[in-house]
């Protein structure tokens, strides 16, 4: 209640001192401003109650998951929260993963493992990124799920390995994705894998191998009229 009282008082104070007194009625007696402040406070409370009644008509994400209502929409919403660089991203991912595990929804389990892995990526918790990515890969392979999911999980796996200094392992993961990207016409991913592998060889001071992959990336982009950038490698 104290929070609500503070909010109502703040709204009333701003309305009177920043708007009403300087622009509407500058030279009125204090009793007049007190009366207007009370009316403003009453109006603020009334609007707040109305908003509560309106929002109560909408099911929360948690309610949708518990009741099974609009589950697809709820899970989709949760899976898209991984771009948030704060604790809420992990909370959303954990809530979705728990529901998916309890209801044996394999594809959604993978989606939320990937979402949580991406949330850890933003927090630079590389070991956790790798753990969730590997868990996702395992589920995908065991249940023969969509290869697009495998590509996404492999990307996070390679990223984590690279950041942890396991360059050889990261290269092997990247190489495994080269043929998939080429077969499926994923030109951007194919080029990025070539650049990333070249960059990893460069970090390992294996310059001959790095040049080979940089040349492959350059040739690939030139044939397709794309632009090659080696920034961030």
């Amino acid at each position: 209640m104290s929070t609500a009282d503070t909010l109502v008082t703040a709204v009333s104070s701003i309305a009177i001192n920043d708007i009403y007194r300087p622009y509407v009625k500058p030279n009125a007696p204090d009793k007049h401003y007190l009366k207007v402040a009370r009316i403003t406070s009453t109006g603020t409370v009334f609007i707040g109650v109305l908003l509560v009644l309106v929002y109560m008509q909408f099911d929360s994400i948690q309610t949708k998951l518990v009741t099974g209502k609009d589950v697809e929409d709820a899970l989709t919403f949760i899976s898209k929260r991984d771009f948030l660089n704060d604790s809420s991203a992990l909370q959303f991912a954990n809530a979705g993963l728990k529901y998916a595990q309890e209801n044996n929804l394999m594809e959604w389990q993978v989606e939320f493992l990937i979402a949580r892995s991406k949330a850890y990526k933003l927090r630079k918790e590389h070991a956790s990124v790798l753990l969730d990515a590997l868990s996702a890969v395992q589920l995908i392979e065991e249940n023969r799920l969509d290869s697009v999911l495998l590509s996404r999980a492999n990307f996070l796996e390679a990223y984590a390995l690279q950041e942890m200094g396991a360059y050889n392992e990261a290269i092997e993961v990247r190489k495994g994705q080269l043929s998939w990207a080429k077969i499926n016409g994923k030109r951007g991913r194919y080029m990025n894998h070539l650049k990333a592998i070249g960059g990893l060889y460069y970090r390992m001071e294996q310059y001959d191998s790095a040049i080979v992959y940089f040349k492959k990336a350059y040739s690939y982009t030139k044939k397709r009229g794309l632009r090659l950038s080696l920034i961030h490698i």
Side-chain angles (χ1 to χ4, degrees):
M1 287 299 293
S2 61
T3 302
D5 290 342
T6 302
L7 179 60
V8 170
T9 302
V11 171
S12 177
S13 177
I14 291 171
I16 297 302
N17 296 319
D18 295 347
I19 300 174
Y20 189 81
R21 186 194 295 266
Y23 300 110
V24 180
K25 207 162 186 177
N27 300 314
D30 290 341
K31 286 185 178 181
H32 175 77
Y33 294 128
L34 181 59
K35 182 179 179 180
V36 174
R38 288 172 177 169
I39 294 172
T40 304
S41 298
T42 303
T44 301
V45 172
F46 180 72
I47 292 172
V49 171
L50 286 179
L51 288 175
V52 169
L53 293 175
V54 170
Y55 284 116
M56 284 178 64
Q57 298 177 18
F58 299 98
D59 289 330
S60 67
I61 296 300
Q62 183 177 3
T63 300
K64 288 183 177 182
L65 293 181
V66 171
T67 61
K69 180 182 178 182
D70 298 328
V71 170
E72 191 80 10
D73 291 340
L75 295 180
T76 300
F77 174 82
I78 294 172
S79 68
K80 301 302 181 185
R81 310 311 292 175
D82 54 67
F83 65 87
L84 295 174
N85 190 12
D86 56 36
S87 59
S88 64
L90 290 177
Q91 291 171 358
F92 276 117
N94 284 328
L97 181 59
K98 181 180 178 182
Y99 180 87
Q101 289 172 336
E102 290 174 349
N103 292 273
N104 201 32
L105 303 174
M106 293 302 174
E107 286 195 15
W108 278 114
Q109 287 185 50
V110 172
E111 285 284 359
F112 290 119
L113 283 169
I114 291 174
R116 192 168 68 178
S117 183
K118 290 168 72 176
Y120 282 130
K121 180 175 179 283
L122 289 172
R123 296 158 64 99
K124 299 187 183 303
E125 297 182 20
H126 307 309
S128 297
V129 173
L130 181 60
L131 182 61
D132 278 348
L134 289 173
S135 298
V137 169
Q138 183 178 356
L139 277 175
I140 293 165
E141 292 177 344
E142 288 178 351
N143 295 278
R144 299 180 180 180
L145 301 179
D146 192 348
S147 61
V148 174
L149 290 173
L150 182 60
S151 175
R152 291 165 58 196
N154 280 152
F155 170 81
L156 290 162
E157 178 187 358
Y159 162 82
L161 289 168
Q162 174 180 320
E163 294 301 312
M164 295 170 70
Y167 296 147
N168 283 317
E169 290 81 355
I171 287 171
E172 291 306 310
V173 175
R174 292 278 189 180
K175 285 182 177 179
Q177 282 298 298
L178 274 177
S179 58
W180 177 88
K182 191 172 185 178
I183 291 171
N184 289 276
K186 305 295 184 180
R187 297 190 300 177
R189 292 190 187 184
Y190 184 79
M191 182 179 66
N192 287 336
H193 284 311
L194 288 174
K195 291 195 302 180
I197 292 170
L200 288 166
Y201 277 127
Y202 182 84
R203 291 189 184 190
M204 296 167 65
E205 299 183 355
Q206 297 183 21
Y207 301 123
D208 290 341
S209 296
I211 290 171
V212 168
Y213 279 90
F214 287 150
K215 283 184 174 180
K216 286 183 178 181
Y218 175 76
S219 176
Y220 185 79
T221 54
K222 187 176 181 181
K223 287 180 181 179
R224 287 155 182 81
L226 302 174
R227 183 177 181 181
L228 177 64
S229 172
L230 297 182
I231 299 174
H232 305 310
I233 285 180

